[in-house]
Amino acid sequence: MSDHAADAATEAFLAHRNLLFTVAYEMLGSAADAEDVLQETWLRWVRADLAQVNDQRAYLIRITTRQALNRLRSVRSRREAYVGPWLPEPLLTTPDVAEDVELAESMSMALMFVLETLSPTERAVFVLREAFDVGYDEIAAAVGRSPAAVRQIAYRARRHVDARRPREAVSSGEARAVLESFRRALESGDLQGLLDVLAPEVVLVSDGGGVKQAAPRPVVSAGKVARFIVGGMGKAGVSLTGDLAVVNGSPALVIRVDGEIDGVVATRVEDARITGLYYVRNPQKLTRIGSETPLTLR
């Protein structure tokens, strides 16, 4: 490849890098795996004949999708052997992500958790179609299926996700207000305060990765979740605080114990109450909380 061609390839890749990272992350739920996919995408991109590429964005998304699918299939068994529930890696995101309702919803921990229940191909089709509005023909080329099959997969995946995602999106302001009430109750160990902000059917999912203590299965109902939270704080006998932050485009809490980051709590809010709590404590998943990660759908 000539220097001019190499420069052109580099420029095109960097122009779409944030988009490609977002595609890979939504498919994998892991920033580390997404970065590996981008490395593999780059190696294939620099070997491409750019003169034959009509749409660079589409071509790069196709390569990224194929590499992410390969990675997703290879990590499936590893995640099945994971100690306790597996939650996506939380990302501290830039303010513009929160302002983009469509992007924030697609990146939310609540939706990302649901995407874990899809097959690799279903997840790829759903992400490309619903989040990035990629055409069926282009998706078909990326996942190695016919356009007709992709339409069926998209329909099936959408029904599956719609049955499990929040009924309606809430504003960032409403979510922040609910989270603030939760934070006050959490820091003070106020059992009644927690019960007031938790929906009766709330579900708490915690991910310690076998390294940090976490519930081995989801905790269900306001009473059990509140007692689990207060009991955990009581046993710890330490100073616990929650700092409001924007994680995956939505308000969240960065939990600190004696000043050190202990984990991240993301929420699912409906009707001014918390219906889902996602607590990531696995230290390997907290590396993206110190600095903002740029994300985009375009």
Side-chain angles (χ1 to χ4, degrees):
M1 179 182 285
S2 68
D3 290 344
H4 176 72
D7 289 344
T10 301
E11 184 179 348
F13 184 84
L14 292 177
H16 296 293
R17 191 188 188 285
N18 291 346
L19 168 67
L20 302 179
F21 177 86
T22 307
V23 171
Y25 172 75
E26 281 214 41
M27 285 185 58
L28 293 159
S30 162
D33 285 332
E35 292 289 1
D36 287 344
V37 163
L38 258 61
Q39 277 291 107
E40 293 159 2
T41 299
W42 165 251
L43 292 175
R44 284 157 178 78
W45 173 245
V46 293
R47 292 201 295 265
D49 181 357
L50 297 192
Q52 303 299 316
V53 177
N54 295 323
D55 186 335
Q56 294 182 341
R57 177 183 183 274
Y59 192 84
L60 280 164
I61 288 177
R62 187 188 307 172
I63 300 174
T64 300
T65 299
R66 287 175 178 168
Q67 298 311 309
L69 258 177
N70 291 339
R71 178 59 62 99
L72 189 55
R73 288 167 180 148
S74 70
V75 301
R76 270 314 237 214
S77 59
R78 194 169 77 216
R79 292 184 185 179
E80 287 170 1
Y82 195 79
V83 178
W86 192 96
L87 285 172
E89 180 179 355
L91 306 180
L92 187 69
T93 44
T94 53
D96 60 306
V97 176
E99 293 166 5
D100 186 331
V101 176
E102 187 180 359
L103 176 57
E105 183 182 1
S106 73
M107 299 301 300
S108 72
M109 290 290 282
L111 180 59
M112 295 282 286
F113 182 61
V114 173
L115 294 185
E116 287 296 318
T117 62
L118 296 174
S119 73
T121 301
E122 286 174 337
R123 183 165 184 167
V125 170
F126 180 87
V127 166
L128 292 178
R129 184 63 189 164
E130 299 297 316
F132 299 94
D133 198 29
V134 176
Y136 289 112
D137 289 348
E138 185 57 38
I139 296 174
V143 302
R145 300 291 183 89
S146 70
V150 165
R151 286 179 182 274
Q152 287 297 315
I153 295 170
Y155 174 73
R156 188 167 64 243
R158 194 180 305 116
R159 284 188 61 190
H160 180 91
V161 172
D162 286 347
R164 292 162 177 79
R165 76 162 117 197
R167 292 184 296 274
E168 57 185 55
V170 299
S171 70
S172 178
E174 181 181 349
R176 187 175 291 275
V178 172
L179 191 62
E180 179 62 35
S181 297
F182 175 78
R183 183 186 68 81
R184 288 195 297 269
L186 178 68
E187 291 183 344
S188 62
D190 180 2
L191 181 62
Q192 187 56 53
L194 289 171
L195 291 172
D196 289 342
V197 77
L198 298 175
E201 71 283 7
V202 64
V203 178
L204 165 68
V205 182
S206 54
D207 177 347
V211 180
K212 289 284 194 77
Q213 186 174 3
R217 316 172 215 28
V219 180
V220 183
S221 84
K224 290 181 180 179
V225 169
R227 287 192 294 274
F228 178 86
I229 292 172
V230 172
M233 288 174 58
K235 289 176 188 175
V238 293
S239 170
L240 183 147
T241 59
D243 299 331
L244 285 168
V246 178
V247 173
N248 286 52
S250 301
L253 289 180
V254 176
I255 304 298
R256 296 180 185 275
V257 173
D258 290 340
E260 297 294 326
I261 293 179
D262 181 75
V264 171
V265 174
T267 61
R268 167 175 164 168
V269 175
E270 298 176 76
D271 299 325
R273 283 193 168 188
I274 294 172
T275 58
L277 283 164
Y278 310 93
Y279 190 13
V280 181
R281 296 193 72 206
N282 184 346
Q284 295 179 349
K285 294 185 178 182
L286 300 176
T287 62
R288 293 289 183 129
I289 296 303
S291 59
E292 296 174 337
T293 299
L295 302 167
T296 183
L297 297 180
R298 296 162 190 89

